Amino acid sequence: CFMTLTGALNLLLGGAPAGPAGTGKTESVKDLGKALAMPVVVFNCSDGLDYKMMEKFFAGLAQAGAWACFDEFNRINVEVLSVVAQQIITIQIALRQQVTEFEFEGLTIKLVDTFGVFITMNPGYAGRTELPDNLKALFRPCAMMVPDYAMISEICLYSYGFSEARDLARKLVKSLQISSEQLSSQVHYDFGMRAVKSILTAAGLLKLKYLEEREDVLVLRAINDVNLPKFVDADLPLFEGITSDLFLGLKIPTPDYTVLIEGMERACGELTKKSPETHGFANVRPTSNLLKKCVQLYETITVRHSLMVVGLTMSMKTTVFKVLQHGMCNVEDKSKFEDVVMFSLNPKSITIDQIYGNFDPVSREWIEGIGASLVRKCAQMETNPELKVKRKWIMFDGPVDAIWIENMNTVMDDNKKLCLNSG
């Protein structure tokens, strides 16, 4: 992959890694940039992008000599892609002529010859367009294959301080492989690279916390903590059978969440007394099932910065969040459980432009969206010493569909950036 991409740059072309989700398309471009000490700007494309926005983008990259990686490039409308092709051709011709200044969209700007542009695509998803031929010719394609999970896991476990990393990595990958073959097929099940990464992160955190504990116990606990919350009831005994076969005779000590559970039981009492007008629900009983789900949600939050709670209507999805939020605020020892500030928004009650923002069609002035302003508000809280120590949660409380969630791709992966059409 690196040879193909560096070969493309040598020929003054762009690079276009393509392949299914979780094969490391964006990460490969970022790693190559890190190896060559190049600044890489990752941008999540959406169908709201227009040629003016892309013009600003390319002008800045050409003057800085930086690389850009446009994620989900084939989500941009075909009409815009044709103009984008002309913009890239203009820059590539200037690079071939080895000039330091060139004319770009009516302006004379300087050109740094380290400029590079990469695009990544997920073929065959809803809302994707076929790239025009004049654009395809400017990029060198590179097919990405599914990586060797066992080797990645082994390296990560060694870096976290595990001495038996090779055997544990093999068991970890095997448990996910067998699960994908034997468990029921649910829409929300994922046993790919991202699931492996979450387990490795959880194992690393557990290793830091329990230095004297047996390593296989820590890895088994990480596998359970990450996977059990998402399984339906019928799959739980099957998964426990798979892990008990791979980790023979291991018993995991039950983690102590007594303080949190007491806080949540108190929170249920508080929420029951409050009127339904203010909180949207009342009469919350601290049943064992509710508390179990709250604990599982907390465990998931510790290893993932974004997550989705799925279930039928009226199956306590919002309740679990609210009970956990109030329960964590009730815990007095803040070294264990921090206070939580939560902002809630129903994404289907407003348009996509109202969530993320849009340009005024006449004045070209940027109007900020509600979701974007909530992210800004949380970021600004970091400057306040009192609010800095609190956890900030933004809950999009409504049905998930590809239209609005796609724009959050870069928020939910390792980039952790919200990409808006304002640039």
Side-chain angles (χ1 to χ4, degrees):
C1 171
F2 280 10
M3 295 298 287
T4 309
L5 296 181
T6 46
L9 291 171
N10 189 43
L11 298 167
L12 302 179
L13 295 170
T23 47
K25 298 183 292 291
T26 314
E27 293 304 314
S28 296
V29 174
K30 281 166 64 182
D31 269 1
L32 181 59
K34 196 186 288 182
L36 299 177
M38 291 297 304
V40 181
V41 180
V42 177
F43 189 79
N44 186 34
C45 300
S46 70
D47 49 9
L49 278 180
D50 61 2
Y51 74 97
K52 288 270 189 196
M53 165 64 210
M54 298 302 282
E55 177 192 316
K56 282 197 307 189
F57 224 114
F58 288 131
L61 291 167
Q63 292 175 88
W67 289 1
C69 179
F70 294 101
D71 250 353
E72 314 288 346
F73 193 67
N74 50 348
R75 285 184 63 211
I76 305 173
N77 292 331
V78 164
E79 301 82 30
V80 179
L81 288 175
S82 297
V83 185
V84 167
Q86 291 303 316
Q87 293 170 345
I88 296 174
I89 286 170
T90 310
I91 300 173
Q92 289 186 352
I93 289 170
L95 284 169
R96 288 193 181 98
Q97 291 169 348
Q98 297 184 343
V99 293
T100 53
E101 285 190 346
F102 74 112
E103 184 95 6
F104 184 70
E105 302 285 338
L107 293 171
T108 304
I109 59 172
K110 70 171 189 162
L111 175 66
V112 179
D113 62 0
T114 51
F115 166 86
V117 61
F118 299 88
I119 61 175
T120 71
M121 294 177 293
N122 278 342
Y125 281 81
R128 303 295 197 275
T129 51
E130 188 63 34
L131 294 191
D133 288 343
N134 64 338
L135 189 57
K136 274 183 189 169
L138 307 177
F139 292 95
R140 193 171 178 187
C142 171
M144 302 292 284
M145 310 308 287
V146 177
D148 182 351
Y149 295 157
M151 187 192 289
I152 295 170
S153 306
E154 184 185 331
I155 293 165
C156 285
L157 288 173
Y158 272 130
S159 71
Y160 290 136
F162 285 82
S163 55
E164 301 166 18
R166 177 163 293 181
D167 288 342
L168 293 173
R170 282 212 300 265
K171 287 180 179 180
L172 189 158
V173 174
K174 201 71 185 165
S175 68
L176 293 182
Q177 186 193 330
I178 298 171
S179 300
S180 66
E181 292 164 0
Q182 294 192 0
L183 302 190
S184 64
S185 63
Q186 303 288 331
V187 183
H188 62 278
Y189 283 5
D190 169 37
F191 300 106
M193 188 62 237
R194 294 202 169 104
V196 175
K197 184 77 177 67
S198 309
I199 295 170
L200 294 172
T201 309
L205 292 170
L206 289 169
K207 181 71 176 170
L208 277 175
K209 204 170 174 184
Y210 307 104
L211 290 169
E212 303 303 318
E213 187 59 84
R214 281 178 56 184
E215 291 184 350
D216 47 2
V217 170
L218 295 179
V219 171
L220 179 56
R221 186 175 156 193
I223 292 171
N224 283 346
D225 286 356
V226 172
N227 285 310
L228 290 182
K230 68 184 177 193
F231 289 143
V232 294
D233 288 346
D235 286 337
L236 286 173
L238 288 170
F239 184 73
E240 280 163 16
I242 292 166
T243 50
S244 63
D245 286 350
L246 288 165
F247 297 86
L248 283 170
L250 269 194
K251 288 280 178 283
I252 307 176
T254 312
D256 182 22
Y257 287 114
T258 318
V259 189
L260 179 61
I261 288 168
E262 283 171 5
M264 289 192 296
E265 284 173 346
R266 245 189 12 258
C268 287
E270 289 164 16
L271 294 173
T272 308
K273 287 168 200 160
K274 287 179 181 172
S275 66
E277 290 81 28
T278 54
H279 268 274
F281 65 92
N283 196 21
V284 184
R285 299 184 185 279
T287 60
S288 60
N289 205 15
L290 173 69
L291 296 176
K292 185 175 112 184
K293 282 293 162 196
C294 290
V295 168
Q296 286 182 346
L297 177 64
Y298 174 75
E299 287 174 343
T300 310
I301 285 170
T302 54
V303 292
R304 288 181 186 257
H305 65 278
S306 64
L307 56 103
M308 181 162 67
V309 175
V310 292
L312 298 171
T313 312
M314 304 295 285
S315 60
M316 307 192 302
K317 296 188 294 293
T318 310
T319 313
V320 165
F321 270 105
K322 289 186 176 176
V323 170
L324 179 60
Q325 178 204 359
H326 289 275
M328 286 174 73
C329 293
N330 283 344
V331 175
E332 288 172 12
D333 184 1
K334 293 301 167 199
S335 63
K336 289 183 178 176
F337 303 99
E338 308 94 326
D339 282 349
V340 177
V341 182
M342 184 161 72
F343 302 99
S344 187
L345 165 70
N346 184 351
K348 297 302 281 181
S349 63
I350 51 178
T351 64
I352 191 162
D353 286 345
Q354 288 171 322
I355 298 175
Y356 298 109
N358 65 319
F359 279 110
D360 185 285
V362 181
S363 65
R364 299 293 298 169
E365 187 182 338
W366 177 253
I367 302 159
E368 190 166 68
I370 299 168
S373 65
L374 288 178
V375 174
R376 184 190 300 279
K377 195 174 180 180
C378 291
Q380 286 169 344
M381 285 181 181
E382 291 297 306
T383 57
N384 185 328
E386 283 182 22
L387 295 171
K388 189 178 179 180
V389 292
K390 297 187 177 185
R391 282 178 178 265
K392 279 70 102 182
W393 295 352
I394 299 175
M395 176 164 68
F396 288 88
D397 195 359
V400 174
D401 64 24
I403 312 292
W404 67 267
I405 198 76
E406 283 272 22
N407 290 9
M408 291 209 174
N409 273 350
T410 41
V411 180
M412 297 187 286
D413 65 18
D414 286 345
N415 296 301
K416 299 181 187 174
K417 282 190 182 71
L418 179 62
C419 297
L420 302 172
N421 290 345
S422 63

